[in-house]
Amino acid sequence: TLTRNKERETTKMPPAPPPPNPVLSAYESFVRDTPLVTRYTLMSQVVTFFLSFVIDPSYALSNIPFMTVKHFELYRIVLSPFVCNRFLSLLFAFISFMDNGKRLEISLGSGAFGWLIITLGVVTNVLFLLLSFAMYFLTGSTLWLIMESKGIWIILLGLIAIECSLAPADSKRRLFVFEVPTLYYPCALLVLFSLFSGGVNASPPLF
């Protein structure tokens, strides 16, 4: 009888729940811990990166002077920071922008932080256009009109420059294994982005 009772108890016990999905758990943690604007900015990088395996969105959204000005596609000035088609760019976005974005968005609020990154993106892209056309008129080379500006670095460097300008003059920041003076940290990061993540590239000829 004791054996039969134990068998009945074991048969009445509910089955153990399945183990949680690690991908779903990581995504839920990311959504829970990351503020709204930072989260959607990073998600835009992920979506455009995987979309680039099918069709590269950088040709439609990057800030290319010939397309932006001569074809009056001004939306590129706003949308180009949210384009990513390289793995290293995506990696830099999650390594650098996540911490800076979360910290600034929590301190400023989502609305103010959203306007800040849009303003930084627009100002940086307008300066890029002015420089490109200035070099075109000085050199006569059409290469300056088909350079493209895209990626998270457009707003990330602006955010880092703001933080570095407020830091003590003798402070340093770590760039991988190197200690870089805070004053020169944005420049060092720009060089690194240009070398490895393709922040500014030459597009295929458009004319």
Side-chain angles (χ1 to χ4, degrees):
T1 57
L2 292 175
T3 306
R4 290 179 181 178
N5 289 335
K6 289 182 179 179
E7 290 178 354
R8 290 175 183 175
E9 290 177 0
T10 54
T11 55
K12 291 180 180 178
M13 291 179 61
N21 187 326
V23 177
L24 181 60
S25 299
Y27 176 74
E28 291 175 346
S29 176
F30 169 74
V31 171
R32 182 177 60 252
D33 300 335
T34 310
L36 181 69
V37 176
T38 304
R39 182 168 72 246
Y40 278 103
T41 302
L42 291 172
M43 288 304 298
S44 72
Q45 303 291 300
V46 175
V47 170
T48 53
F49 172 72
F50 284 105
L51 184 62
S52 66
F53 289 101
V54 181
I55 179 171
D56 193 350
S58 64
Y59 294 121
L61 301 177
S62 295
N63 182 24
I64 304 171
F66 179 78
M67 304 299 294
T68 304
V69 177
K70 294 201 170 186
H71 285 239
F72 208 65
E73 297 177 356
L74 300 181
Y75 63 88
R76 295 172 179 267
I77 297 175
V78 179
L79 297 180
S80 64
F82 306 103
V83 178
C84 175
N85 63 349
R86 299 192 181 191
F87 177 73
L88 284 177
S89 298
L90 185 65
L91 185 63
F92 276 126
F94 275 86
I95 291 176
S96 300
F97 183 77
M98 180 176 285
D99 291 336
N100 288 277
K102 288 167 67 173
R103 183 167 56 251
L104 285 173
E105 187 170 355
I106 290 172
S107 62
L108 297 176
S110 295
F113 181 67
W115 279 113
L116 176 62
I117 65 172
I118 290 175
T119 302
L120 286 173
V122 169
V123 170
T124 304
N125 273 324
V126 169
L127 292 175
F128 173 77
L129 291 173
L130 293 175
L131 177 62
S132 297
F133 275 94
M135 294 304 297
Y136 166 68
F137 288 120
L138 287 173
T139 63
S141 174
T142 57
L143 178 65
W144 294 100
L145 298 185
I146 58 175
M147 298 290 286
E148 65 177 8
S149 171
K150 69 174 187 294
I152 195 70
W153 74 271
I154 297 174
I155 54 180
L156 177 59
L157 286 177
L159 295 176
I160 293 175
I162 292 173
E163 285 191 328
C164 291
S165 66
L166 300 175
D170 57 345
S171 62
K172 293 184 178 181
R173 297 188 66 167
R174 180 175 294 276
L175 185 63
F176 294 109
V177 296
F178 303 102
E179 291 284 341
V180 180
T182 303
L183 181 63
Y184 305 109
Y185 183 78
C187 296
L189 202 59
L190 174 61
V191 172
L192 191 66
F193 274 24
S194 300
L195 289 176
F196 295 106
S197 64
V200 178
N201 302 307
S203 299
L206 301 175
F207 53 90

